[in-house]
Tab-separated table of all heavy atoms in Angstrom:
chain	number	residue	atom	x	y	z
A	105	HIS	N	-48.096	67.401	12.708
A	105	HIS	CA	-48.692	68.733	12.636
A	105	HIS	C	-48.263	69.527	11.419
A	105	HIS	O	-48.317	70.750	11.422
A	105	HIS	CB	-48.353	69.526	13.908
A	105	HIS	CG	-48.873	68.865	15.132
A	105	HIS	ND1	-48.045	68.186	15.993
A	105	HIS	CD2	-50.123	68.736	15.618
A	105	HIS	CE1	-48.778	67.670	16.965
A	105	HIS	NE2	-50.032	67.991	16.756
A	106	GLY	N	-47.811	68.861	10.378
A	106	GLY	CA	-47.463	69.621	9.185
A	106	GLY	C	-46.380	68.996	8.340
A	106	GLY	O	-45.895	67.906	8.611
A	107	THR	N	-46.032	69.745	7.295
A	107	THR	CA	-45.069	69.302	6.303
A	107	THR	C	-44.048	70.406	6.049
A	107	THR	O	-44.411	71.585	6.017
A	107	THR	CB	-45.803	68.963	4.984
A	107	THR	OG1	-46.753	67.933	5.246
A	107	THR	CG2	-44.844	68.501	3.912
A	108	VAL	N	-42.790	70.025	5.868
A	108	VAL	CA	-41.739	70.969	5.526
A	108	VAL	C	-41.113	70.537	4.203
A	108	VAL	O	-40.653	69.408	4.071
A	108	VAL	CB	-40.655	71.030	6.631
A	108	VAL	CG1	-39.486	71.885	6.189
A	108	VAL	CG2	-41.248	71.562	7.916
A	109	ASP	N	-41.122	71.426	3.230
A	109	ASP	CA	-40.542	71.171	1.920
A	109	ASP	C	-39.016	71.194	2.012
A	109	ASP	O	-38.441	72.109	2.594
A	109	ASP	CB	-41.041	72.240	0.944
A	109	ASP	CG	-40.518	72.036	-0.451
A	109	ASP	OD1	-40.230	70.887	-0.831
A	109	ASP	OD2	-40.383	73.044	-1.184
A	110	MET	N	-38.363	70.186	1.442
A	110	MET	CA	-36.898	70.123	1.443
A	110	MET	C	-36.312	70.558	0.112
A	110	MET	O	-35.102	70.571	-0.062
A	110	MET	CB	-36.433	68.706	1.785
A	110	MET	CG	-36.748	68.305	3.207
A	110	MET	SD	-36.416	66.566	3.578
A	110	MET	CE	-34.758	66.332	3.030
A	111	GLY	N	-37.148	70.868	-0.853
A	111	GLY	CA	-36.665	71.347	-2.137
A	111	GLY	C	-36.759	70.301	-3.227
A	111	GLY	O	-37.353	69.241	-3.069
A	112	SER	N	-36.144	70.645	-4.366
A	112	SER	CA	-36.168	69.772	-5.534
A	112	SER	C	-34.765	69.690	-6.131
A	112	SER	O	-33.908	70.519	-5.847
A	112	SER	CB	-37.151	70.310	-6.575
A	112	SER	OG	-36.757	71.603	-6.999
A	113	ALA	N	-34.561	68.682	-6.963
A	113	ALA	CA	-33.258	68.475	-7.585
A	113	ALA	C	-33.449	67.977	-9.008
A	113	ALA	O	-34.413	67.274	-9.307
A	113	ALA	CB	-32.453	67.459	-6.785
A	114	MET	N	-32.507	68.349	-9.885
A	114	MET	CA	-32.567	67.915	-11.275
A	114	MET	C	-31.323	67.115	-11.655
A	114	MET	O	-31.072	66.866	-12.800
A	114	MET	CB	-32.725	69.158	-12.166
A	114	MET	CG	-32.933	68.890	-13.615
A	114	MET	SD	-34.435	67.931	-13.875
A	114	MET	CE	-34.463	67.895	-15.638
A	115	SER	N	-30.526	66.720	-10.650
A	115	SER	CA	-29.303	65.963	-10.933
A	115	SER	C	-28.985	65.088	-9.728
A	115	SER	O	-29.859	64.767	-8.935
A	115	SER	CB	-28.164	66.930	-11.233
A	115	SER	OG	-27.939	67.758	-10.111
A	116	ASP	N	-27.721	64.728	-9.583
A	116	ASP	CA	-27.255	63.952	-8.434
A	116	ASP	C	-27.071	64.925	-7.268
A	116	ASP	O	-26.081	65.649	-7.201
A	116	ASP	CB	-25.934	63.267	-8.792
A	116	ASP	CG	-25.429	62.346	-7.697
A	116	ASP	OD1	-26.034	62.296	-6.610
A	116	ASP	OD2	-24.404	61.676	-7.942
A	117	THR	N	-28.049	64.964	-6.345
A	117	THR	CA	-28.081	65.987	-5.291
A	117	THR	C	-28.528	65.376	-3.976
A	117	THR	O	-29.320	64.438	-3.951
A	117	THR	CB	-29.081	67.111	-5.673
A	117	THR	OG1	-28.719	67.623	-6.945
A	117	THR	CG2	-29.083	68.228	-4.659
A	118	THR	N	-28.048	65.955	-2.876
A	118	THR	CA	-28.546	65.594	-1.556
A	118	THR	C	-29.403	66.749	-1.047
A	118	THR	O	-28.932	67.887	-0.969
A	118	THR	CB	-27.394	65.318	-0.577
A	118	THR	OG1	-26.597	64.239	-1.101
A	118	THR	CG2	-27.931	64.918	0.787
A	119	LEU	N	-30.648	66.451	-0.739
A	119	LEU	CA	-31.579	67.441	-0.206
A	119	LEU	C	-31.606	67.316	1.307
A	119	LEU	O	-31.629	66.206	1.847
A	119	LEU	CB	-32.983	67.219	-0.782
A	119	LEU	CG	-33.079	67.304	-2.307
A	119	LEU	CD1	-34.439	66.793	-2.779
A	119	LEU	CD2	-32.848	68.726	-2.776
A	120	HIS	N	-31.598	68.445	2.008
A	120	HIS	CA	-31.592	68.475	3.468
A	120	HIS	C	-32.791	69.271	3.965
A	120	HIS	O	-33.228	70.218	3.313
A	120	HIS	CB	-30.318	69.141	4.002
A	120	HIS	CG	-29.072	68.449	3.591
A	120	HIS	ND1	-28.510	67.461	4.350
A	120	HIS	CD2	-28.284	68.587	2.504
A	120	HIS	CE1	-27.429	67.016	3.751
A	120	HIS	NE2	-27.260	67.687	2.627
A	121	GLY	N	-33.289	68.918	5.136
A	121	GLY	CA	-34.364	69.690	5.731
A	121	GLY	C	-34.455	69.452	7.219
A	121	GLY	O	-33.882	68.503	7.748
A	122	TYR	N	-35.163	70.352	7.890
A	122	TYR	CA	-35.413	70.173	9.306
A	122	TYR	C	-36.798	70.696	9.648
A	122	TYR	O	-37.364	71.514	8.942
A	122	TYR	CB	-34.336	70.851	10.171
A	122	TYR	CG	-34.357	72.361	10.102
A	122	TYR	CD1	-35.108	73.106	11.014
A	122	TYR	CD2	-33.643	73.041	9.130
A	122	TYR	CE1	-35.140	74.483	10.948
A	122	TYR	CE2	-33.670	74.415	9.065
A	122	TYR	CZ	-34.422	75.132	9.971
A	122	TYR	OH	-34.464	76.487	9.899
A	123	MET	N	-37.335	70.189	10.734
A	123	MET	CA	-38.663	70.568	11.209
A	123	MET	C	-38.603	70.656	12.726
A	123	MET	O	-37.913	69.863	13.362
A	123	MET	CB	-39.691	69.513	10.789
A	123	MET	CG	-41.037	69.599	11.501
A	123	MET	SD	-42.104	68.162	11.178
A	123	MET	CE	-42.776	68.619	9.592
Side-chain angles (χ1 to χ4, degrees):
H105 300 105
T107 301
V108 173
D109 181 28
M110 293 172 52
S112 61
M114 186 61 176
S115 61
D116 185 355
T117 305
T118 301
L119 301 169
H120 300 269
Y122 68 91
M123 165 190 279

